[in-house]
Amino acid sequence: MRLLLIGAPGSGKGTQAERLAQRYGITHISSGDLLRQHVQERTALGRQIQSYVDRGDLVPTGIVVDMLRKPVVAAVEAGGYVLDGFPRTVEQAQAAFPTAHALGAEVQAAVHLDVPRAELVRRLLARGRGSDDTQEVIEHRLQVYLDETVPLLEYYANREWMFAVDGAQPPDAVHQEIVARLHKLSAFASETS
């Protein structure tokens, strides 16, 4: 099973990815965690990443794809993955697809955690991790998500299994809804193959 979680900051992607990974015995791959790990360990890739972060620029797609290659291949060999944090744009998805396809590691299903903006703001303010969790910064991050990431929904709807769940529900209810939808998809897929 190879899953992609799409959701705004504060939508619960990390929580759901961990639960799905545990439930299905697959690997949770967080691109943000991997980026931070490379920077912290001062790897060659980490030094490259740090230079972009220091300038306030997004890390180029090619670097992120290179960083994800080994963990994704290892996860596929071990039974699958649930990916959160990448891709963030249609351009990133298009750039990553040929590599993932050649490795037999492309996404099989995309799950959109749909949470109303007001609830996202409330959650992000409540978790307040520091200077980047001010109302103004949060509003900017959500606008970037709307502009850059929301178009991914249409991209994946035209390619892979794609469905949305109400991410404003309590985490247990969100998890159960995702599991029920995945069960229906796998039953349908086995009937049509």
Side-chain angles (χ1 to χ4, degrees):
M1 179 180 295
R2 299 183 303 271
L3 302 174
L4 169 66
L5 293 184
I6 301 171
S11 63
K13 291 186 305 296
T15 299
Q16 294 305 322
E18 288 171 12
R19 288 179 176 210
L20 291 165
Q22 189 171 19
R23 180 180 201 105
Y24 292 110
I26 57 179
T27 305
H28 172 205
I29 302 173
S30 165
S31 62
D33 288 350
L34 285 172
L35 287 167
R36 285 184 287 277
Q37 181 182 340
H38 277 281
V39 168
Q40 190 173 18
E41 294 174 0
R42 298 184 189 282
T43 64
L45 197 57
R47 288 189 296 276
Q48 265 187 298
I49 292 164
Q50 187 68 54
S51 69
Y52 289 99
V53 171
D54 287 346
R55 290 192 305 267
D57 294 332
L58 287 177
V59 178
T61 300
I63 292 175
V64 180
V65 169
D66 286 347
M67 178 192 71
L68 289 172
R69 186 182 322 250
K70 273 188 183 174
V72 166
V73 168
V76 169
E77 290 172 356
Y81 63 78
V82 55
L83 180 61
D84 88 79
F86 183 86
R88 290 182 184 258
T89 67
V90 171
E91 293 77 21
Q92 287 180 342
Q94 291 169 333
F97 181 77
T99 302
H101 184 69
L103 297 169
E106 63 268 30
V107 168
Q108 293 172 309
V111 181
H112 175 220
L113 298 176
D114 191 15
V115 180
R117 189 178 185 111
E119 175 62 11
L120 293 168
V121 171
R122 186 196 68 73
R123 288 179 181 182
L124 291 168
L125 286 171
R127 78 179 186 197
R129 292 182 177 159
S131 62
D132 63 340
D133 279 333
T134 65
Q135 178 89 28
E136 187 178 335
V137 170
I138 288 168
E139 292 288 352
H140 176 71
R141 288 173 63 203
L142 293 177
Q143 192 58 50
V144 169
Y145 171 78
L146 284 173
D147 296 342
E148 301 287 335
T149 306
V150 166
L152 272 175
L153 302 178
E154 186 176 335
Y155 174 81
Y156 280 108
N158 293 325
R159 294 189 59 98
E160 282 78 23
W161 289 104
M162 165 79 198
F163 61 89
V165 298
D166 176 2
Q169 303 174 86
D172 289 343
V174 173
H175 181 71
Q176 290 306 320
E177 188 175 339
I178 293 171
V179 168
R181 297 289 290 276
L182 289 172
H183 183 73
K184 284 182 184 174
L185 288 179
S186 65
F188 178 76
S190 63
E191 286 174 16
T192 57
S193 58

